[in-house]
C-alpha cells in the first residue's frame, strides 16, 4: 500500500484493505431514513462504491455527481456513496443537489464499511477517498485508494471497470 495523505499530511488507515479478485466484505450502514443497509440490499447489481470524506466538500460533491451521472448510463448498475456524514446531512445534500437517484449511505454509527474496506482515517474518524467496483456476485474488479485525500479519483478507470463487467 502506498502512503496515503490528507492535505499532504500522512494519515493512518484502519481496517482490512480489499484487493481486486477478492470477494467484497459485507457491511452495515445507515440510509437517509436511518434504515440499515448491507451489501445484500444491492444483490444482483453491478456496484460502484464511491467513498468520500464528507459530502459537503467540493471534491466530494463533484465525485458524487460525476459517478452518478456516468453510472446512470450503465445497465443494472448502482452507485453507493458512503461517508461518515450523518444521514441527515446526506439527505439535505441530496435535496439541495437536485439529484433524485443518488444513494448516500452513512458509516458514522459503527464504521462497519470503513473497517471492512480499510478506509477509516484514524486521525479524523473520516473515510479515506476511495473507489470500489463490484460485479453482480460481489467480486472486487477495481480498487482505488486515492493517494492524496483532497485529490479526485480516476473517474475514467472506475467507470471503465464498471462498464467492463
Amino acid at each position: 500500500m502506498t502512503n496515503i495523505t490528507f492535505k499532504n499530511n500522512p494519515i493512518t488507515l484502519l481496517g482490512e484493505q480489499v484487493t481486486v479478485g477478492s470477494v467484497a466484505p459485507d457491511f452495515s450502514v445507515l440510509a437517509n431514513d436511518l434504515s440499515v443497509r448491507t451489501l445484500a440490499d444491492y444483490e444482483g447489481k453491478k456496484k460502484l462504491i464511491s467513498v468520500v470524506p464528507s459530502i459537503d466538500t467540493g471534491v466530494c460533491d463533484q465525485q458524487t455527481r460525476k459517478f452518478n451521472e456516468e453510472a446512470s448510463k450503465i445497465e443494472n448498475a448502482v452507485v453507493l456513496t458512503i461517508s461518515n456524514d450523518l444521514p441527515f446531512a446526506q439527505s439535505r445534500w441530496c435535496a439541495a443537489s437536485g439529484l433524485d437517484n443518488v444513494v448516500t449511505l452513512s458509516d458514522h454509527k459503527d464504521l462497519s464499511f470503513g473497517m471492512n474496506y480499510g478506509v477509516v482515517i484514524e486521525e479524523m474518524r473520516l473515510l479515506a477517498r476511495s473507489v470500489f467496483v463490484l460485479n453482480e456476485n460481489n467480486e472486487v474488479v477495481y480498487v482505488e485508494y486515492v493517494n492524496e485525500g483532497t485529490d479526485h479519483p480516476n473517474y475514467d478507470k472506475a467507470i471503465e471497470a464498471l462498464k467492463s463487467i
Side-chain angles (χ1 to χ4, degrees), residues 1 3-6 11-14 17 49-54 60 63 82-84 107 111 113-115 117-132 144-151 153:
M1 179 80 213
N3 292 329
I4 304 289
T5 58
F6 192 88
I11 57 172
T12 306
L13 296 184
L14 303 176
Q17 295 183 345
I49 303 175
S50 173
V51 184
V52 298
S54 177
C60 298
Q63 179 176 331
I82 302 180
S83 72
N84 277 358
D107 198 29
L111 295 177
F113 176 86
M115 292 301 288
Y117 285 72
V119 295
V120 175
I121 302 173
E122 181 178 35
E123 294 82 356
M124 295 180 261
R125 201 176 192 275
L126 297 174
L127 301 183
R129 188 175 316 285
S130 47
V131 182
F132 306 91
E144 180 184 8
Y145 291 90
V146 179
N147 289 337
E148 165 51 47
T150 59
D151 288 347

Side-chain angles (χ1 to χ4, degrees), residues 3 22 27 34 43 45 48-49 57 65-66 69 73 80 83 90 99 104 107 124 131-132 136 154:
N3 292 329
S22 64
F27 54 82
L34 302 181
E43 190 171 325
K45 297 242 182 227
L48 187 150
I49 303 175
T57 63
R65 290 174 186 273
K66 175 80 171 173
E69 176 186 311
K73 304 169 189 171
L80 309 177
S83 72
Q90 292 177 338
L99 301 175
T104 55
D107 198 29
M124 295 180 261
V131 182
F132 306 91
E136 297 93 338
N154 189 325

Side-chain angles (χ1 to χ4, degrees), residues 5-26:
T5 58
F6 192 88
K7 295 187 177 180
N8 297 313
N9 295 309
I11 57 172
T12 306
L13 296 184
L14 303 176
E16 294 295 319
Q17 295 183 345
V18 300
T19 57
V20 170
S22 64
V23 175
D26 199 8

Side-chain angles (χ1 to χ4, degrees), residues 46-50 63-75 77-79 131-133 141-144 153-165:
K46 302 172 191 177
K47 292 161 280 296
L48 187 150
I49 303 175
S50 173
Q63 179 176 331
T64 303
R65 290 174 186 273
K66 175 80 171 173
F67 279 139
N68 278 278
E69 176 186 311
E70 294 297 322
S72 68
K73 304 169 189 171
I74 301 171
E75 188 175 335
V78 62
V79 175
V131 182
F132 306 91
V133 177
V141 299
Y142 177 83
V143 172
E144 180 184 8
N154 189 325
Y155 298 110
D156 293 338
K157 279 189 175 178
I159 293 298
E160 189 55 43
L162 188 64
K163 286 179 179 176
S164 73
I165 300 173

